[in-house]
Amino acid sequence: MASSTTGFLGVPAKKPFDVNLSTPVKKFIKETFGDKEDYSAAVDGFNALRAEALLRGSYRDDCSKILRYYDQLHAIEYKLPITENQIRIYFKWQDAFVSGGSLFGSKQKTNGSWKLAYEKACVLFNIGHAYSDLALAQNLSIDEQMKAATRYFQLSSGVFSFLKDYVNANSLSDLSVDFEPAVLACISWFMLGQAAELIYIKSASFKDEVAAKVAAHAADCYKEAYTSSRTESAKKVIPENYVNIMFVKHLLFQSKTEYHAGNQAQADRKYGLKVARYDRAKDFADQAVSKCATSAFTPTLRANQEEIAKASAAARKDNDFVYHERLPDPKTLDTILAQPIAKPLPVSFPITPDFKDLFASLVPIALNNALSAFNSKRAEIMNIEINRLREANNVLNSVLASMNLPAAIEDNGGRQVPASVMEKANEVKRQGGIHALDKMISDLPESLKRNKEILDETIRMLDDEERGDSDLRVQFKERWTRTVSSKLTGPLREEAKKYMDIIQNAINADKIVQEKFRMNRDCIVLLSKQTNEIADELPSATAAGALRDSFVVRELRRLMENVAAVKAEREVIESQLKNTDSDSVRARLIAGFQQGNHHDENSVVVHEIESIYTPLRQQVSESLSRQEQLVENVHRAHQQFQNEKQGNETSAMRDEMLKNLARAYDAYQELLNNLKEGTKFYNDLTPLLLKFQNKVSDFVFARKTEKDDLMQDIQRSIVGGNPVPATTQQNAGNPHASNVAAAYPPSQQPSAPSTGGPPPTTTPDGSAVPYPNPYMQPFFPMPPGYNPYNPFLNMTAPAYPMAGTQQYPQQGFGVAKPQQGGKK
């Protein structure tokens, strides 16, 4: 819009299209953070805020909503990964400018992207538009409103300067002709020139020396704007009426600069210099009138031309008849140095001083990843240390069973069952006996089959989608412009492979469990019987009564008490390993993140892991060291016991039978633990696989929607005989699809007025801001606890993973599919 008297222009707005933020964001939050806190109201408020901020016709009355919406976008960068393969929201906008130099035409291009950075850039563009709109709405005859207009133009200039750097940092220039570096530099300088012009109007009554410098600053700004508009990429975009106003105002303010310099020469009694300055001012004023293509602005230029012409004629006459000073060569005149009193006002977060984040209590995704990393590392260390304890117990039990201890020193011969064997048998029966193991063993294949079928079907959906995309790409060639499936499904494929590895590890563990069960089943059956039945099965033998009170038997009893003490101590250590408290870790990570230490999560995790587990690891190592000496002492005492013991063949058979029962009891306890954990493992895995399947289903549905839309466009283009536009909603993943001329290399890109430094392009850890690449959560072993399926474990008879809740990577949660239209 242009004023008929001043020639001020605003920046046209980009047209947004409505999108649904609620569904995909709600689903991601629920899947990632659970149901501990309800964010439905916050998400709905976020969705409503976008509609209120963007889908309106003018910002002349109020722009607070769009500023707040930008602040909210900025606040969620670390919390909600809005990308093509995570929270899928397709942001669709129409260009403000039309390639070719016209405005608001029906052929304005529509572009889109899954990137949050693209949405932020478009919102920033419209904030710059809103500031220019507010400036034009001011009544310049009122002093306060003129000051407000000046500030709004400076704010607009600052936004476009910031936006130029932001677009470069996030590789967005190919997504819209509005984002060409030269275009943004041109707009920024143009807005700054208009701010300088208003300052000139205010300072025209000041000393001529000051007015000349302010006018020179306005002339310089308009020159920079015009120069940027003539670059190869911008001249196809910036409207000709804008370009003409920039050029004409550059000439206008050059004439005003020289005019005020001439007035200053009069004050300095330099009459020849005065004439030379006025002559130059007249040349610029004449050029401005002759070059002006905006009829509404011509009267202002003619008034300036007439004023300068009269002053020039009077000055020449006075010098010719009165002063007779020699006129200096125009080429030797000093350049009037500009006073850059108008400056782009920088963009800082938050833009609105009273901004309140709707998701203030939501844990940032990087912090959530750090907590998940802690849980994963904790599970890994816990698995390793518990495995060491259990392996040591297995070795100790095997050694004792091979020596028939402690039954050998309790056996009184005859048909009587030793007390330790009776205790073991009673414990087996109390835990369900052989029937409990039979049932759990028979349930394993069905549980495995259920999980494997879910995963196989999920992988089939991915394969079908990728195969269909490849077939259509071959069929339509360059017309098929959407992102290649393989580029989007990488994280999903990786997650599927990890699930496949988990299931394969479980299959291997099942085989070991089933083999151990087969080898020990007969003895476990015997332990499941009543005491008299066990006694009937045991071979009778003469008791070694003479040894019952001997030194060697007393020594073995003492050593068995030590064995029991070691096992009890290990139970305590295992309980401590399983029940470590992570609240302090969470508190420290949150505190560090709130203080801006986004790079410190890993160091906090490492420190907490070390502080928690170093003492427990030391206890495990000490327990294993004591076992070595204990086993050596048991071997020595048992050898002496064997030498002193008198027996026969029947006695040897009885000893062997008692050894087998002892081994069977140990196997029963291990198998029961394995099978309980295995059942829990498969039951926990099923909902995780179903969530993963739903995630893949969402992705496949979104791709089908894209496919259908693109097919319709291709069909229309074939019928109409026109090629598919290079920039459509389907080519969001193809950064080279735009037919806009390539931007200048970085060294030649037009520079916008500096606002004191570019926006941050990376986080402190070096990752790009906000999300130029898929921001994927790491995959962690499932589930936390004792997990023998991990590749770092090497168990003789692996137990099943222990139950726990584990977050998995979230990709493609929800789909806000591209819409065909929307409201402005």
Side-chain angles (χ1 to χ4, degrees):
M1 298 178 64
S3 167
S4 61
T5 57
T6 63
F8 289 116
L9 293 171
V11 181
K14 295 175 74 69
K15 177 186 175 183
F17 290 84
D18 195 14
V19 297
N20 175 23
L21 302 174
S22 295
T23 302
V25 173
K26 283 180 182 177
K27 189 168 186 180
F28 174 83
I29 290 176
K30 181 179 179 180
E31 296 288 352
T32 305
F33 302 103
D35 297 322
K36 294 181 180 178
E37 187 171 350
D38 186 8
Y39 287 95
S40 297
V43 176
D44 291 338
F46 182 36
N47 193 59
L49 178 60
R50 186 184 192 274
E52 295 169 4
L54 302 182
L55 305 179
R56 55 184 298 170
S58 171
Y59 296 99
R60 287 200 168 201
D61 298 326
D62 178 32
C63 67
S64 60
K65 289 291 179 66
I66 192 172
L67 300 181
R68 185 162 174 260
Y69 177 60
Y70 176 80
D71 283 340
Q72 188 60 66
L73 289 175
H74 186 87
I76 65 171
E77 282 183 341
Y78 293 105
K79 300 180 180 182
L80 300 173
I82 298 177
T83 62
E84 189 172 3
N85 55 1
Q86 294 198 66
I87 304 179
R88 292 172 59 86
I89 301 174
Y90 191 82
F91 298 108
K92 184 178 172 185
W93 291 74
Q94 191 177 79
D95 288 342
F97 296 107
V98 179
S99 181
S102 61
L103 260 179
F104 302 110
S106 60
K107 296 182 180 179
Q108 285 169 290
K109 290 182 179 177
T110 298
N111 309 287
S113 174
W114 303 96
K115 292 181 178 180
L116 180 68
Y118 175 73
E119 172 82 346
K120 282 188 67 180
C122 292
V123 172
L124 275 172
F125 191 99
N126 274 13
I127 288 175
H129 151 76
Y131 283 142
S132 71
D133 230 14
L134 285 168
L136 296 180
Q138 306 304 309
N139 186 344
L140 301 184
S141 63
I142 301 175
D143 187 62
E144 288 302 317
Q145 292 196 32
M146 177 178 279
K147 290 181 180 178
T150 302
R151 182 171 179 273
Y152 285 134
F153 277 134
Q154 291 179 95
L155 284 167
S156 182
S157 176
V159 166
F160 289 110
S161 177
F162 178 93
L163 182 57
K164 175 181 175 292
D165 295 325
Y166 185 81
V167 164
N168 285 339
N170 291 278
S171 304
L172 302 174
S173 59
D174 288 336
L175 295 181
S176 171
V177 295
D178 301 334
F179 293 159
E180 289 289 343
V183 172
L184 295 173
C186 172
I187 300 173
S188 182
W189 280 113
F190 187 40
M191 293 297 104
L192 190 63
Q194 295 186 143
E197 181 175 346
L198 289 178
I199 294 174
Y200 168 78
I201 294 173
K202 183 68 178 175
S203 66
S205 59
F206 296 170
K207 291 182 179 180
D208 285 296
E209 182 180 9
V210 175
K213 292 181 178 181
V214 175
H217 177 47
D220 288 348
C221 291
Y222 285 125
K223 179 182 179 182
E224 292 289 346
Y226 174 76
T227 301
S228 295
S229 74
R230 293 296 84 192
T231 57
E232 189 65 29
S233 57
K235 68 182 180 182
K236 299 179 181 180
V237 180
I238 302 297
E240 287 302 324
N241 63 318
Y242 275 55
V243 176
N244 181 253
I245 286 291
M246 295 170 195
F247 182 63
V248 169
K249 284 199 172 186
H250 166 59
L251 296 173
L252 171 64
F253 282 95
Q254 278 191 308
S255 72
K256 290 183 178 294
T257 300
E258 296 297 336
Y259 174 72
H260 287 292
N263 291 347
Q264 184 62 39
Q266 166 74 26
D268 295 339
R269 300 179 182 277
K270 298 179 179 179
Y271 304 107
L273 178 60
K274 173 184 175 182
V275 173
R277 290 292 187 185
Y278 281 165
D279 285 347
R280 290 190 65 178
K282 184 175 180 302
D283 288 341
F284 287 129
D286 292 342
Q287 290 182 56
V289 171
S290 65
K291 298 293 184 180
C292 181
T294 305
S295 58
F297 190 42
T298 302
T300 300
L301 298 176
R302 289 198 180 279
N304 178 69
Q305 182 187 40
E306 291 172 4
E307 180 184 11
I308 292 176
K310 289 179 182 178
S312 177
R316 183 170 291 277
K317 182 178 179 181
D318 288 345
N319 192 59
D320 289 344
F321 291 99
V322 180
Y323 304 114
H324 305 291
E325 284 194 8
R326 184 176 64 83
L327 300 184
D329 185 346
K331 295 180 181 179
T332 64
L333 295 180
D334 294 335
T335 301
I336 306 299
L337 297 179
Q339 183 172 338
I341 194 169
K343 296 180 180 180
L345 296 180
V347 177
S348 59
F349 173 80
I351 300 177
T352 50
D354 58 344
F355 169 70
K356 294 182 180 179
D357 183 6
L358 292 171
F359 303 93
S361 60
L362 187 66
V363 177
I365 199 70
L367 177 55
N368 186 66
N369 287 347
L371 291 170
S372 297
F374 170 78
N375 290 330
S376 177
K377 186 65 176 176
R378 182 175 65 171
E380 178 183 328
I381 294 175
M382 180 172 61
N383 287 339
I384 293 174
E385 298 306 315
I386 292 178
N387 179 54
R388 291 175 67 196
L389 289 175
R390 292 187 178 181
E391 277 294 301
N393 279 342
N394 288 340
V395 171
L396 187 55
N397 290 336
S398 297
V399 169
L400 296 179
S402 68
M403 301 177 189
N404 191 25
L405 291 174
I409 58 176
E410 297 170 351
D411 190 13
N412 293 321
R415 291 288 180 180
Q416 187 175 355
V417 180
S420 62
V421 175
M422 290 176 60
E423 290 177 5
K424 288 179 171 64
N426 290 335
E427 179 66 16
V428 167
K429 288 192 285 286
R430 188 188 66 79
Q431 293 175 311
I434 188 64
H435 299 296
L437 293 188
D438 280 338
K439 185 178 186 308
M440 286 189 281
I441 281 284
S442 64
D443 289 343
L444 278 183
E446 187 62 31
S447 299
L448 170 64
K449 179 182 177 183
R450 179 180 68 246
N451 286 287
K452 195 169 184 307
E453 286 176 349
I454 296 172
L455 184 57
D456 289 344
E457 173 61 18
T458 304
I459 294 173
R460 184 199 64 76
M461 287 192 293
L462 283 174
D463 291 341
D464 288 350
E465 192 282 327
E466 185 168 339
R467 185 163 48 250
D469 181 70
S470 299
D471 292 343
L472 291 169
R473 194 171 301 281
V474 171
Q475 179 180 352
F476 294 108
K477 296 181 172 59
E478 68 277 358
R479 290 178 181 269
W480 200 251
T481 56
R482 71 172 183 167
T483 308
V484 178
S485 291
S486 59
K487 291 184 178 179
L488 299 178
T489 58
L492 293 172
R493 296 278 187 188
E494 181 180 350
E495 187 173 356
K497 182 179 183 303
K498 291 183 183 295
Y499 280 123
M500 290 174 63
D501 291 343
I502 286 173
I503 288 179
Q504 186 57 52
N505 287 336
I507 292 173
N508 296 336
D510 288 349
K511 291 179 180 177
I512 296 174
V513 169
Q514 289 163 350
E515 178 62 19
K516 174 163 282 194
F517 177 71
R518 186 190 63 78
M519 293 174 61
N520 292 277
R521 191 179 190 283
D522 290 343
C523 287
I524 293 175
V525 169
L526 182 57
L527 287 173
S528 302
K529 294 180 179 181
Q530 298 302 316
T531 304
N532 62 317
E533 294 178 287
I534 298 175
D536 290 342
E537 300 254 355
L538 281 176
S540 61
T542 303
L547 297 178
R548 281 184 296 176
D549 296 323
S550 67
F551 170 80
V552 67
V553 171
R554 291 198 304 272
E555 177 66 10
L556 283 172
R557 285 175 181 156
R558 185 185 67 80
L559 292 172
M560 293 304 100
E561 291 174 357
N562 290 345
V563 168
V566 166
K567 290 183 177 181
E569 179 189 69
R570 288 174 180 174
E571 289 180 1
V572 174
I573 297 174
E574 182 170 331
S575 176
Q576 292 175 334
L577 285 166
K578 292 178 181 178
N579 299 310
T580 51
D581 181 20
S582 62
D583 288 345
S584 61
V585 182
R586 181 182 180 87
R588 287 193 58 185
L589 285 171
I590 292 176
F593 200 95
Q594 290 174 342
Q595 295 170 6
N597 299 328
H598 302 166
H599 61 289
D600 197 43
E601 295 95 343
N602 290 334
S603 62
V604 173
V605 167
V606 172
H607 177 269
E608 289 298 324
I609 286 287
E610 290 300 320
S611 65
I612 291 172
Y613 284 105
T614 297
L616 293 174
R617 278 173 163 171
Q618 186 174 353
Q619 291 181 44
V620 172
S621 297
E622 290 174 354
S623 177
L624 268 57
S625 296
R626 289 200 302 273
Q627 177 171 314
E628 293 178 5
Q629 185 62 46
L630 180 60
V631 169
E632 183 179 338
N633 292 338
V634 170
H635 268 297
R636 184 174 60 253
H638 181 263
Q639 184 63 45
Q640 185 178 350
F641 175 73
Q642 289 294 102
N643 292 338
E644 296 180 9
K645 181 180 177 182
Q646 295 179 356
N648 51 30
E649 183 177 347
T650 305
S651 177
M653 292 173 60
R654 181 180 176 87
D655 282 348
E656 187 63 30
M657 185 71 167
L658 291 175
K659 290 178 184 179
N660 290 337
L661 291 176
R663 291 192 188 97
Y665 172 78
D666 293 334
Y668 182 87
Q669 298 303 322
E670 186 177 348
L671 287 168
L672 186 65
N673 186 53
N674 290 165
L675 292 168
K676 285 180 179 179
E677 291 177 344
T679 301
K680 189 76 168 69
F681 166 81
Y682 283 123
N683 290 339
D684 286 346
L685 182 60
T686 300
L688 292 174
L689 289 174
L690 288 173
K691 288 180 183 178
F692 177 55
Q693 188 179 62
N694 289 336
K695 189 191 312 180
V696 171
S697 178
D698 288 343
F699 170 80
V700 171
F701 173 78
R703 293 287 284 178
K704 181 180 182 301
T705 302
E706 288 180 309
K707 180 189 74 173
D708 293 343
D709 291 343
L710 184 52
M711 289 284 289
Q712 291 176 8
D713 286 349
I714 291 174
Q715 289 170 1
R716 284 195 295 269
S717 69
I718 293 174
V719 172
N722 296 320
V724 177
T727 306
T728 65
Q729 63 184 24
Q730 289 82 12
N731 70 6
N734 184 357
H736 304 294
S738 174
N739 60 1
V740 179
Y744 278 64
S747 61
Q748 301 176 23
Q749 288 182 357
S751 298
S754 173
T755 59
T761 60
T762 60
T763 60
D765 64 359
S767 59
V769 174
Y771 301 114
N773 294 315
Y775 186 60
M776 302 308 302
Q777 299 181 39
F779 186 98
F780 302 117
M782 167 285 158
Y786 176 51
N787 186 352
Y789 303 115
N790 286 348
F792 51 78
L793 293 178
N794 181 18
M795 297 181 61
T796 304
Y800 282 86
M802 300 182 66
T805 302
Q806 177 62 51
Q807 293 291 344
Y808 271 78
Q810 313 294 336
Q811 300 104 351
F813 277 104
V815 178
K817 65 179 180 180
Q819 303 295 317
Q820 294 300 321
K823 297 179 181 179
K824 183 174 178 180

